[in-house]
């Protein structure tokens, strides 16, 4: 008896190739898909090109012919774009090795996400649902002077801060560990759009020059807030932690989460060599 394989509900679209089919009347599609529990190549024909399918997006299989699965190649009727953030999807389970080779950091991030609780998981997913943004979050630099550059340094810093913050908060009462972890994972997330690659390395983007990552993340959160169900208390505590951590010495009303986030950030910083000093 042949058993039908159990595949994940969702995948990250790593790459997509489209070729003209017979007599140019149809399109031959071949997509490389990644989830930590399965990596497959989905193949299907279509009458038209689905321009919504782009590298980095989350997709679901439709009409999979499991009996024809051979060497990771799976005929399907189509791929369906998952266009709305789903709270049950751990996005870190869909980071392919081509994005980041440091699988330990990816696994640790997935464990941290699991600890945030459903409302904040949903909010995080809403912020990072667009595949291009999530890719830049995972692979982007700490700054223009991030030298020698290596993919994922800013992401690894966020994971280290979250772990350090969780350690500092261990045993303390009247603290939201979920808010603290979410704030740590997001505190530098706006840097995903602060930089762009140039022939000379990373330089500030227009957004990075005029707005900056600390305001960008607040903008992203405000938009994401409209798409999820999240208690006001949790949302305000998260936003406060992100804002107050930068001005602890001048504020009279700083939460313990903001204080711990600032401390964890300071303890977890990697020394970055400035290009001008070389």
């Amino acid at each position: 008896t042949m058993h039908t394989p159990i595949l994940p509900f969702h995948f990250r679209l790593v790459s997509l190739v489209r070729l003209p089919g017979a007599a140019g009347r149809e399109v031959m599609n071949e997509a490389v898909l990644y989830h930590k529990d399965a990596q497959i190549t989905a193949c299907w024909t279509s009458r038209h090109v689905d321009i919504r399918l782009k590298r980095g997006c989350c997709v679901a299989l439709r009409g999979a012919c499991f009996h024809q699965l051979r060497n990771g190649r799976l005929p399907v009727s189509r791929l369906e774009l998952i266009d709305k953030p789903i709270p049950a999807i751990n996005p870190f389970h869909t980071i392919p090795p081509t994005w980041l080779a440091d699988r330990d950091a990816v696994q640790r991030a997935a464990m941290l996400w699991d600890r945030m609780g459903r409302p904040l998981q949903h909010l995080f997913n809403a912020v990072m649902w667009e595949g291009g943004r999530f890719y830049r979050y995972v692979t982007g630099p700490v700054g223009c002077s991030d030298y020698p550059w290596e993919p994922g340094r800013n992401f690894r810093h966020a994971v280290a801060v979250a772990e350090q913050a969780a350690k500092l908060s261990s045993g303390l009462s009247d603290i939201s560990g979920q808010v603290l972890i979410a704030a740590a994972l997001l505190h530098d997330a706006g840097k995903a759009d602060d930089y762009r690659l140039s022939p000379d390395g990373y330089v500030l983007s227009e957004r990075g020059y005029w707005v900056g990552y600390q305001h960008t993340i607040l903008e992203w959160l405000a938009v994401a807030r409209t798409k999820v169900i999240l208690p006001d208390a949790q949302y305000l505590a998260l936003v406060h932690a992100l804002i107050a951590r930068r001005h602890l010495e001048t504020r009279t009303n700083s939460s313990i989460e903001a204080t711990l986030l600032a401390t964890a950030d300071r303890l977890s910083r990697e020394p970055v060599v400035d290009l001008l000093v070389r």
Side-chain angles (χ1 to χ4, degrees):
T1 304
M2 189 171 182
H3 296 286
T4 300
I6 299 176
L7 294 177
F9 162 73
H10 63 284
F11 289 86
R12 183 75 58 184
L13 178 57
V14 180
S15 65
L16 177 60
V17 175
R18 300 180 176 105
L19 297 172
R25 294 194 184 95
E26 58 187 19
V27 180
M28 307 291 293
N29 304 274
E30 185 172 292
V32 176
L33 308 177
Y34 179 84
H35 186 281
K36 73 177 185 66
D37 295 329
Q39 301 90 56
I40 64 172
T41 298
C43 310
W44 73 101
T45 59
S46 59
R47 294 184 61 186
H48 307 285
V49 170
D50 188 345
I51 61 174
R52 300 175 306 158
L53 297 177
K54 299 177 181 179
R55 284 185 297 175
C57 68
C58 273
V59 296
L61 301 174
R62 293 292 179 261
C65 302
F66 293 111
H67 63 283
Q68 297 183 35
L69 177 63
R70 299 289 186 276
N71 300 319
R73 293 177 62 86
L74 178 67
V76 300
S77 62
R78 63 188 173 94
L79 287 189
E80 182 175 299
L81 174 68
I82 306 176
D83 57 356
K84 294 181 180 178
I86 298 177
I89 290 180
N90 187 325
F92 299 109
H93 287 164
T94 66
I95 296 177
T98 51
W99 286 17
L100 191 65
D102 187 349
R103 308 315 291 173
D104 178 66
V106 171
Q107 182 179 8
R108 286 154 52 207
M111 294 171 62
L112 288 162
W113 185 92
D114 282 335
R115 297 172 60 181
M116 286 198 297
R118 186 54 56 88
L120 286 171
Q121 289 169 345
H122 201 182
L123 182 68
F124 183 94
N125 286 7
V127 169
M128 290 295 169
W129 201 249
E130 197 276 312
R133 179 185 293 176
F134 189 51
Y135 171 80
R136 295 188 298 275
Y137 168 74
V138 171
T139 64
V142 172
C144 291
S145 60
D146 187 352
Y147 181 87
W149 180 76
E150 52 187 86
R153 180 172 282 174
N154 193 51
F155 169 68
R156 292 198 303 273
H157 168 68
V159 174
V161 171
E163 291 175 333
Q164 183 69 60
K167 189 183 302 182
L168 292 172
S169 66
S170 179
L172 296 180
S173 59
D174 298 324
I175 184 172
S176 173
Q178 296 177 348
V179 167
L180 186 57
I181 289 174
L185 289 177
L186 292 171
H187 77 285
D188 280 348
K191 289 184 178 182
D193 279 3
D194 256 15
Y195 309 102
R196 61 176 179 82
L197 268 175
S198 76
D200 298 320
Y202 273 100
V203 296
L204 276 177
S205 65
E206 191 171 8
R207 168 174 283 275
Y209 182 81
W210 292 110
V211 179
Y213 69 96
Q214 294 175 339
H215 295 286
T216 292
I217 184 56
L218 299 179
E219 179 184 319
W220 290 351
L221 284 169
V223 173
R225 178 75 173 91
T226 66
K227 304 175 183 179
V228 305
I229 298 175
L230 179 73
D232 283 345
Q234 273 194 316
Y235 179 74
L236 294 175
L238 173 61
V239 171
H240 168 82
L242 293 172
I243 295 173
R245 73 178 182 91
R246 307 195 303 266
H247 309 289
L248 289 176
E249 61 281 349
T250 60
R251 292 184 67 101
T252 57
N253 58 331
S254 296
S255 68
I256 184 67
E257 289 87 0
T259 302
L260 290 177
L261 177 59
T263 303
D265 188 21
R266 190 167 58 250
L267 293 174
S268 303
R269 283 179 192 157
E270 292 184 31
V272 177
V273 179
D274 195 298
L275 286 170
L276 298 175
V277 180
R278 293 175 60 220

